[in-house]
Amino acid sequence: PDPSSSVPASLMPTEVLPTPTPPSTLTPAPPTPTPLPTWPERWEPSGGPYGGFIETIVVSPADPDTLYAAGLGGAVYSSRDGGETWAPGKRLVAPNCSFTSLIADATNRDTLYAANSCAGILESSDAGSSWSSPSGGIEGAAQILVQSPHAPGLLLATDHAGRVYRSRDGAVSWESISDGLPGEPIGGLAASGPDLFWATTSNGHNGTLYRFNAGFWSAVPFGQPPGTETTSILVDPADPATLFIGLASTQNATLNPDSAYLFRSTDTGLHWVPVPSMLSPASTDSQETRPHNASYVLGKSQLSGLLYVATSDGLLESPDEGDNWNRIGLPDGIFAARDLRKIANDPLNNNVLYAPVRGTGISKSDDGGQTWRPINRGLNSLTIALFSTHPSDPANLYAAPAEG
């Protein structure tokens, strides 16, 4: 039998239907519009880190774990752990003033010399925390600063007007030694001895090599191909009689395979020979070769004897003064080796290389340049071009331009 048949109807559960809600006759109020932010009419510095480009880097000969790097941004960065972390020094010039050259003292890791595009030649004895302008120094713009590895206390510097200055007393005083120069921008500067110097000029069409001897500069014929100009000069740190000159095409064209963009002398510039063997395979899958149309001599390791040259077709190293070449890797952020202007080598470990990469900071290689990694912890002087609003106050904007 059906159990429900014995239950009284009054006790049976009934379905309760919801009472329908009558439609509203009111029109909902429109949402309150969000007021447009009032954009700032002026910008103020935040007191935060300063930006810029890294242009130059140097390893201290007195302590390979101590590095210095600088460029735009107004300050010099230092590292005490092989570049793994960085700390900014005191900002002493405007952020649009560039540090173009750095020299670390050979015996004191805290002594540093710098060339600045606004402040001239500067010296620091406390790793860049404070700076002084040597009396009798170069006033205004300074471009290149080099130290002779064969004459202690001898420094050479250039300005943007194509003049060369010499200091015999560790940057305490300077004298102009520009007689014979054409007044063109100088791209390379080197010393073979206390009174024998070299400079390469750049004028956009036929900049060439000059030698300073007996108080006067004179042009040096070395077989320069037509349509080229000099880019760089290197004196072998282990043998001052050996020199290398880099060249670049001024015609924005690749010349024939017989042209050379690197020249070498082994007798202090009396005779020069081209180094055309820098031609390398166009790709790993082809034996076709293509000529370079630019070479920049970056440096030579005194420990290993490896010569580093950036070309229009790759970054190369040579173990035998340029007779043979090996292609090595490029740091991330560099798409053409010709954009690489500086390599710093650990004086105690030829596998450790450092390179400033314009736009992404500094890269380090622990395997002789085969692979690279960025080392930018604490380094704020990169290519910064950021723009943002405050998350809760859109009237506040923040911008970090590349110039600082």
Side-chain angles (χ1 to χ4, degrees):
D2 185 359
S4 62
S5 60
S6 59
V7 178
S10 60
L11 297 180
M12 291 290 292
T14 59
E15 181 180 4
V16 179
L17 298 176
T19 303
T21 302
S24 173
T25 59
L26 298 178
T27 301
T32 302
T34 302
L36 293 175
T38 301
W39 304 112
E41 297 181 357
R42 62 189 178 91
W43 296 88
E44 298 177 354
S46 66
Y50 20 89
F53 292 122
I54 294 296
E55 300 281 1
T56 182
I57 184 171
V58 65
V59 180
S60 169
D63 177 13
D65 287 331
T66 296
L67 286 78
Y68 298 98
L72 283 171
V76 175
Y77 286 82
S78 63
S79 173
R80 298 294 197 190
D81 53 10
E84 298 301 325
T85 59
W86 295 87
K90 178 183 178 181
R91 178 192 268 186
L92 67 156
V93 292
N96 62 336
C97 296
S98 178
F99 284 93
T100 54
S101 296
L102 294 174
I103 293 177
D105 187 80
T107 59
N108 188 337
R109 70 173 189 174
D110 292 331
T111 298
L112 189 66
Y113 304 98
N116 187 268
S117 62
C118 298
I121 302 299
L122 301 167
E123 180 182 7
S124 174
S125 58
D126 53 12
S129 297
S130 62
W131 294 85
S132 63
S133 180
S135 60
I138 304 171
E139 297 182 0
Q143 184 178 12
I144 301 176
L145 179 64
V146 299
Q147 185 177 39
S148 171
H150 315 290
L154 175 61
L155 298 171
L156 299 175
T158 70
D159 62 16
H160 289 279
R163 294 183 289 257
V164 176
Y165 301 83
R166 173 175 59 189
S167 173
R168 301 176 186 269
D169 50 18
V172 175
S173 60
W174 295 84
E175 58 178 332
S176 176
I177 52 168
S178 303
D179 290 345
L181 288 173
E184 298 169 349
I186 295 175
L189 189 64
S192 289
D195 293 298
L196 181 58
F197 313 137
W198 307 89
T200 60
T201 62
S202 175
N203 57 24
H205 54 94
N206 63 353
T208 191
L209 175 67
Y210 286 82
R211 174 175 54 203
F212 179 87
N213 195 17
F216 190 82
W217 292 91
S218 57
V220 178
F222 61 91
Q224 181 173 354
T228 66
E229 70 175 3
T230 52
T231 63
S232 48
I233 176 77
L234 173 71
V235 174
D236 191 321
D239 178 13
T242 298
L243 300 92
F244 298 91
I245 304 173
L247 296 98
S249 171
T250 59
Q251 300 174 341
N252 196 27
T254 300
L255 301 187
N256 63 71
D258 295 327
S259 295
Y261 292 88
L262 184 71
F263 281 74
R264 176 183 64 206
S265 173
T266 57
D267 55 7
T268 321
L270 295 179
H271 302 90
W272 295 86
V273 295
V275 186
S277 58
M278 295 181 69
L279 302 183
S280 56
S283 70
T284 57
D285 300 325
S286 172
Q287 293 304 311
E288 296 180 1
T289 60
R290 59 188 179 196
H292 309 296
N293 63 358
S295 294
Y296 301 86
V297 187
L298 302 178
K300 188 177 183 185
S301 170
Q302 194 165 358
L303 180 65
S304 66
L306 290 171
L307 173 67
Y308 297 97
V309 176
T311 77
S312 54
D313 193 31
L315 177 59
L316 308 177
E317 66 176 12
S318 173
D320 50 16
E321 310 292 334
D323 291 332
N324 295 280
W325 295 92
N326 302 311
R327 185 193 298 269
I328 59 178
L330 284 175
D332 290 342
I334 290 184
F335 302 101
R338 61 181 177 271
D339 296 327
L340 190 61
R341 294 292 186 271
K342 177 73 174 179
I343 279 185
N345 186 221
D346 187 320
L348 299 181
N349 187 344
N350 60 279
N351 286 322
V352 177
L353 303 174
Y354 303 92
V357 182
R358 190 175 183 127
T360 58
I362 297 173
S363 290
K364 180 179 182 179
S365 175
D366 297 298
D367 53 12
Q370 299 304 315
T371 61
W372 298 82
R373 59 186 175 90
I375 49 169
N376 295 325
R377 184 178 179 183
L379 184 68
N380 303 300
S381 187
L382 310 178
T383 306
I384 300 172
L386 305 178
F387 184 85
S388 180
T389 60
H390 192 284
S392 60
D393 184 0
N396 283 326
L397 305 180
Y398 300 89
E403 289 77 14

